[in-house]
Amino acid sequence: FPSRLSLSLCLLGINKMAGIFPQDPALPIGSTLTATCSVSPDLGLHASSLFWSLNGRRLPSSSYSVLSPTALSVTLPGLPASRQRSGDNLVCHNHGGHVLAGSCLYIGMPPVKPVNLTCWSRNTKDLTCRWAPGGQGETFIKTKYTLKYKLRWYGRERECEEYNAAQPYSCYIPRDLALFTPYEIWVEATNQLGSATSDVITLDILDVVTTDPPTGVSVSRVGNLEDHLSVRWESPPALKDFLFQAKYQIRYRLEDNSDWKVMDDVGNQTSCRLAGLRPGTVYFVQVRCNPVGIFGSRRAGIWSEWSHPTAASTPHSERVLSGSCDSKSGDSNSTLRRELKQFFGWVRNHAYGCGGMSIKLYDQWRVWMQKSHKTRNQVGKGAK
């Protein structure tokens, strides 16, 4: 008999001339079920001629019991979790394999209290909330999650309606939200075996504002400086529509390295210089934004997503230190190189960042180093 037919019984209904009891039961994992198939005497079938199947697989006759000429039962001990959320198909057949009746078995677990409920608002106009199912997260039967919310001191309870199929534990409230008033928000989980409710969180929309990532991110070289890159970007459009300020973060990584280095001292400017980079190396750079001063609030919002990675390479180093057969000259050059390396490390550590003063200090040192290099070359040529 076709298994496809048995799998559709939950949708097609039951033959009026036969029936299974209990019909569509919900049971905890590990339960024992005894089901009975009863047929009308008008069918002219004896119970001993019937057989059972579960999910298209015939069950052994040793699990049957003939209760009467028109009733045959089957006992299923230690039921495992349902293979599909729409239920497992228990079917009663006549001797020729024709389907007489069917029942859906929902074998699973009651939901556990949802956890990690967090919400954020895109530019104060909406609210998105996300949570995680409690426990191991798998109930094995269809479980409905409902996000509910209401104004803390007044107003009626409302339900979020726009759920994301791609992200099953999230919901989007697009409009009609009040500002300057706290909301109470929670999630209810229900299935045929029970229900559970998350902890209630209280928030003001203005405290959970985020924006789109910065746009127009560009990364370019700084002249011939082989260890610098300049980063520029544009503020998110929402900053122009509301009384927002912003602070930014930059992160960057080497092309062949997955570890990002984050710069926290960017402030509210829309450009920055990265210093102390490797010459002749490709870097990926991203920028993100955090709205602050929302309608005069002193509290910061939530960091946006990172912008799309933008790549650029530093110039190759053109500085070549010439060698010498004079041991004294070689020792002098070695000492000077070591001192310059130490000084370079100090400047890189102290001038690192996007502050104007640190960039100015770093540039002054680079000019001094280049002049010193030229002077040494001239002295070396004069000595020859």
Side-chain angles (χ1 to χ4, degrees):
F1 52 92
S3 60
R4 181 181 303 174
L5 178 60
S6 66
L7 291 175
S8 64
L9 286 174
C10 294
L11 300 177
L12 294 179
I14 305 169
N15 191 327
K16 293 182 179 180
M17 300 294 289
I20 292 178
F21 178 85
Q23 182 65 42
D24 302 340
L27 300 169
I29 295 173
S31 297
T32 296
L33 171 68
T34 297
T36 301
C37 177
S38 299
V39 296
S40 170
D42 296 340
L43 292 177
L45 298 174
H46 193 276
S48 61
S49 68
L50 310 180
F51 70 89
W52 292 89
S53 70
L54 180 63
N55 291 331
R57 185 176 181 179
R58 185 165 178 163
L59 295 173
S61 58
S62 59
S63 60
Y64 303 168
S65 294
V66 177
L67 304 181
S68 72
T70 58
L72 178 70
S73 70
V74 64
T75 298
L76 304 174
L79 287 169
S82 294
R83 296 183 182 179
Q84 51 194 16
R85 293 184 182 276
S86 59
D88 292 338
N89 292 272
L90 181 64
V91 181
C92 176
H93 306 262
N94 67 11
H95 65 280
H98 179 73
V99 174
L100 298 175
S103 176
C104 287
L105 310 184
Y106 300 96
I107 314 301
M109 299 185 297
V112 180
K113 181 177 77 172
V115 296
N116 299 334
L117 174 59
T118 57
C119 303
W120 62 94
S121 175
R122 184 74 66 180
N123 310 328
T124 74
K125 295 181 179 180
D126 57 10
L127 191 68
T128 301
C129 295
R130 183 178 298 163
W131 61 91
Q136 297 180 350
E138 179 59 79
T139 61
F140 300 101
I141 58 178
K142 185 177 181 180
T143 299
K144 180 181 179 181
Y145 291 88
T146 305
L147 179 75
K148 296 186 176 182
Y149 63 100
K150 70 181 185 68
L151 292 171
R152 185 175 186 181
W153 295 300
Y154 57 91
R156 60 184 179 86
E157 180 182 298
R158 305 177 67 178
E159 293 186 6
C160 180
E161 299 178 353
E162 296 192 19
Y163 294 89
N164 189 338
Q167 297 179 343
Y169 306 119
S170 66
C171 194
Y172 176 66
I173 304 172
R175 64 185 71 85
D176 300 329
L177 292 168
L179 301 180
F180 307 103
T181 305
Y183 278 93
E184 291 182 346
I185 304 174
W186 66 97
V187 177
E188 295 180 358
T190 58
N191 64 22
Q192 292 164 291
L193 292 175
S195 62
T197 302
S198 72
D199 292 334
V200 178
I201 64 171
T202 302
L203 59 84
D204 190 310
I205 302 300
L206 296 179
D207 293 337
V208 293
V209 174
T210 187
T211 68
D212 295 320
T215 59
V217 179
S218 64
V219 184
S220 58
R221 297 179 178 181
V222 182
N224 293 322
L225 294 179
E226 68 273 11
D227 58 350
H228 279 197
L229 286 174
S230 177
V231 186
R232 296 182 180 277
W233 60 92
E234 297 177 7
S235 300
L239 299 181
K240 302 174 183 178
D241 299 334
F242 295 92
L243 300 179
F244 290 172
Q245 296 177 358
K247 60 180 180 179
Y248 298 94
Q249 276 185 343
I250 293 177
R251 71 176 185 179
Y252 62 96
R253 65 174 176 86
L254 298 172
E255 180 182 25
D256 56 354
N257 193 325
S258 60
D259 296 331
W260 293 92
K261 188 168 186 178
V262 179
M263 298 184 62
D264 291 313
D265 59 347
V266 180
N268 61 359
Q269 57 191 353
T270 56
S271 65
C272 177
R273 188 184 297 186
L274 305 179
L277 307 178
R278 293 184 187 178
T281 304
V282 175
Y283 283 87
F284 288 98
V285 181
Q286 291 179 296
V287 186
R288 67 177 181 174
C289 174
N290 188 326
V292 295
I294 304 167
F295 291 110
S297 171
R298 295 183 178 181
R299 302 183 65 172
I302 298 175
W303 285 106
S304 72
E305 298 293 331
W306 290 100
S307 64
H308 293 295
T310 302
S313 63
T314 53
H316 288 277
S317 176
E318 298 180 355
R319 293 186 291 115
V320 179
L321 295 177
S322 59
S324 173
C325 294
D326 188 341
S327 60
K328 293 183 179 180
S329 176
D331 291 342
S332 176
N333 286 338
S334 177
T335 300
L336 182 58
R337 285 198 299 271
R338 183 171 63 253
E339 292 176 350
L340 285 175
K341 185 177 181 180
Q342 293 173 350
F343 184 60
F344 172 79
W346 180 89
V347 172
R348 182 175 59 186
N349 291 334
H350 290 77
Y352 172 77
C354 292
M357 183 61 69
S358 63
I359 291 176
K360 183 177 180 180
L361 175 62
Y362 195 88
D363 287 345
Q364 289 176 349
W365 175 79
R366 292 306 303 271
V367 171
W368 175 85
M369 186 188 71
Q370 292 173 359
K371 289 182 178 180
S372 299
H373 180 64
K374 291 180 180 179
T375 301
R376 292 198 307 275
N377 287 342
Q378 293 174 356
V379 172
K381 290 179 181 179
K384 292 180 180 180

